Amino acid sequence: MSIDSATPGGIFKIAGELTVARVGYGAMRLTGQPGNWGPYPDWEAGCRLLRRVVELGANFIDTAISYGPGFSEEIIAAALHPYPPNLVIATKGGLRKTGPGQIQAEGCRDGLRQACEASLRRLKVERIDLYQLHRPDPNVDFAQSVEALAELAAAGKIRHVGLSNVTLPQLEQARRIVPIASVQNRFALSYRDNQDVLAYCAREHIAFIPWGPLGARGFQYGAPLAQASGPVGEIAARHRATPGQIALAWLLSRGPNVVVIPGTTSIAHLEENVGAARLQLSAADVAALDAMAAPSA
């Protein structure tokens, strides 16, 4: 399958004004391993990959202050600043990383303000296009966290407010405080909780950004998604595509507001992921995938 750009998968205007290709890039893995701790070990290779993201037309890049922490934002700036005018960079605050794989919620006003200021410095911007609450803090009233983001928007620090890992009642509550441009919840062929949030976002024209789009724990019978059999493998064979591309195309079929952000550290895999934008699943394909059992993890 030839790879030209992510645009054939269509575009979506986040908040009606940030025009993004619906196949973007998630930058979580451009950090040290294990546990997304420290800088990415091959910094120059990471920069080359990010430049290839832009070359392919995938103009939406998602990151977070907790990735590294901070190093994912730093490598984005190192590779791409000064940014192309159509590039949209989203980041997240509200989680503090203290060691490999060790995170804790930090949704208080001061914590979110400090995190946003740090992201502005690392990304080398005066305003962040899309700033998302990474996760509700169980020790902080949810409304206070959202109010903190509304204050940052009013101060011109962020352009649009988004949420991540929220329930439908939380989303509805947040919208009574500030306009919500996006929701980033887990959703995939292999994980179909959050159907209610997805449907709500579709009705309200809110961007839905599924994290873990290729299935963090594999797909069927414990097999990795890349080795999936059954309908995924059969449909992939018919389209001369990979199972991963089918999984991404299925997500895109969920609605015109769905923007996928598969992550990778391989340029070849990046090009494969972006190639999913060219797939046109039939109604029968989608029905077969919809009918598959997808146990929640």
Side-chain angles (χ1 to χ4, degrees), residues 51 80 97 112 114 141 148 177 186 213 225 257 282:
R51 295 183 189 115
L80 300 174
K97 178 162 283 188
L112 286 169
Q114 292 169 13
D141 181 71
I177 298 169
R186 186 179 178 189
L225 180 58
N257 64 314
S282 69

Side-chain angles (χ1 to χ4, degrees), residues 190-238:
S190 57
Y191 187 93
R192 302 193 201 175
D193 289 6
N194 295 308
Q195 293 269 14
D196 57 343
V197 177
L198 172 59
Y200 180 93
C201 288
R203 290 195 304 271
E204 299 297 321
H205 307 289
I206 297 169
F208 185 85
I209 307 167
W211 66 262
L214 295 179
R217 292 198 175 187
F219 187 64
Q220 232 179 351
Y221 311 115
L225 180 58
Q227 300 170 11
S229 57
V232 176
E234 294 165 5
I235 294 168
R238 283 203 303 273

Side-chain angles (χ1 to χ4, degrees), residues 44-176:
E44 288 306 313
C47 288
R48 287 194 297 272
L49 183 140
L50 285 162
R51 295 183 189 115
R52 185 61 177 148
V53 168
V54 173
E55 290 171 355
L56 291 169
N59 71 320
F60 181 73
I61 297 177
D62 177 83
T63 184
I65 193 171
S66 61
Y67 300 164
F71 286 109
S72 176
E73 294 176 331
E74 288 187 14
I75 197 171
I76 289 169
L80 300 174
H81 189 272
Y83 302 114
N86 68 335
L87 181 65
V88 175
I89 298 174
T91 192
K92 299 181 286 292
L95 286 184
R96 184 160 62 92
K97 178 162 283 188
T98 57
Q102 299 173 12
I103 54 175
Q104 61 186 52
E106 190 173 53
C108 62
R109 273 187 169 84
D110 284 347
L112 286 169
R113 179 182 55 79
Q114 292 169 13
C116 181
E117 294 285 357
S119 291
L120 287 165
R121 290 192 299 271
R122 290 190 180 101
L123 291 169
K124 299 182 180 180
V125 294
E126 294 183 357
R127 182 176 65 169
I128 294 168
D129 287 329
L130 178 62
Y131 193 81
Q132 304 157 101
L133 178 66
H134 206 149
R135 183 185 300 169
D137 186 337
N139 299 312
V140 175
D141 181 71
F142 179 68
Q144 291 184 14
S145 296
V146 178
E147 287 165 2
L149 298 187
E151 291 166 3
L152 289 166
K157 303 292 185 180
I158 59 180
R159 187 171 179 180
H160 295 293
V161 173
L163 302 172
S164 184
N165 298 300
V166 292
T167 64
L168 181 54
Q170 287 171 330
L171 171 55
E172 292 175 324
Q173 179 185 6
R175 293 188 76 204
R176 292 192 287 269

